[in-house]
Amino acid sequence: MVFQQGFFQNYWSVVGEELTKSTRDFLNGGAILKETINTFITLIPKKDNPKIVSEFRPISLCNSRYKLASKVIVNRLKPYLNSIIFPLQNGFIPGCSINDNISMALELTHTIRTSTAKKNGLAAIKIDMGKAFDRIDWEFLFNTLKKFKFPYHWIHLIKECVSTVQYTLLVNGRTTKPFKPSCGLRQGDPLSHILFPLCTEALSASLSHLQSTNDIKGVSITRNGLEISHLLFANDSYFFLHVNKTSIESLTNTLTSYGQNSGQNIDFKKSQVFFNPKASHSAKTFISNLLSIPSSSTFDFYLGIPLDIDTKRNLIFEDFVDKIKKRINSWSSKFLNFGGKVTLIKSVLQSILVYPMSIFKFPLSILNKIDKLFVDFL
């Protein structure tokens, strides 16, 4: 039988001592209890009316007893992440914000778009790692921890948490037969958000080394500023390079080697390469073919934020207005009282704007349109 967190909170006086003892025994070097490794997997649709498995996101419903031990490990590791992880990787790192990556990406893409470099030019390459968490190779993970000189005791704890898991699928309210995976990190496990950046740090370190040896030449926002070759946030990666054969071949070899060792696989459908206007047609063709990634004349979204703000400013802000319209039209207002409408505006409609407004200053005309939609709905 699976107990939720509320059970342990309400009956802590009864189960607290036994739960604390079993958690301490594991953290002090013992084996994880068999009851805590069982994990349900539920599928969350990524889009309306999904039809194939790739259109679902698998979320692990970890055991409450397991999460207690996992969170203790996470809290012990967090203070040391900033001294291990390179600053250009901001995903799940304490003290770092997703806004840092977006701000740098906006500045770098603006530099590439407006660059007047006459020789080949600059390129921005967006790489999407398909099912990134689910494909992490365990042997690669443990070797990475050894490279970072983690104590054997800690590697043992992490190995017990990661490799002893047993999954059971939840399908239409019913459970399937349990099975054991051979790779991957659980999306839903607090520990996964710590381990994944440690794995991708291997890629970041390789790129930084190539940049130091001039095998890769990054892009600088100012004339004598720091050259940035990559921005990493979980499975969303952006690379900024001077368009030349050495840089592109070095990047390709590094990505291939990282993919083979870590189990990661590039999703070419979601990847793209953008060149500045000065890049020659031959250079564009060569690089697109070498990377097997299609070129694009416009920048895609990065971490949910459009990067083509310079060229499509009005259209981009109108998109946010359309999102609110679509959400309002999906509700049947005749069944809602005044209080219900106020709650939906505050908790749903306004939350749509919180994230983009932390990045952009919205034009007054757009704000007036949004305000009118709220008033009309109310």
Side-chain angles (χ1 to χ4, degrees), residues 115-122 276 278-280:
S115 173
T116 57
K118 294 181 180 179
K119 187 177 179 180
N120 291 333
L122 310 172
N276 76 317
K278 296 293 182 180
S280 65

Side-chain angles (χ1 to χ4, degrees), residues 193-220:
H193 293 157
I194 298 294
L195 298 180
F196 190 82
L198 289 173
C199 290
T200 51
E201 182 58 20
L203 173 61
S204 180
S206 297
L207 293 170
S208 299
H209 174 71
L210 289 172
Q211 196 173 347
S212 66
T213 57
N214 290 324
D215 289 315
I216 282 182
K217 187 169 176 59
V219 175
S220 174

Side-chain angles (χ1 to χ4, degrees), residues 9 70 97 117-118 124 130 173 175 206 208 215-216 234 247 327 338 362:
Q9 291 174 343
S70 178
S97 169
K118 294 181 180 179
T175 59
S206 297
S208 299
D215 289 315
I216 282 182
S247 288
R327 186 59 65 91
F338 185 82
F362 276 49

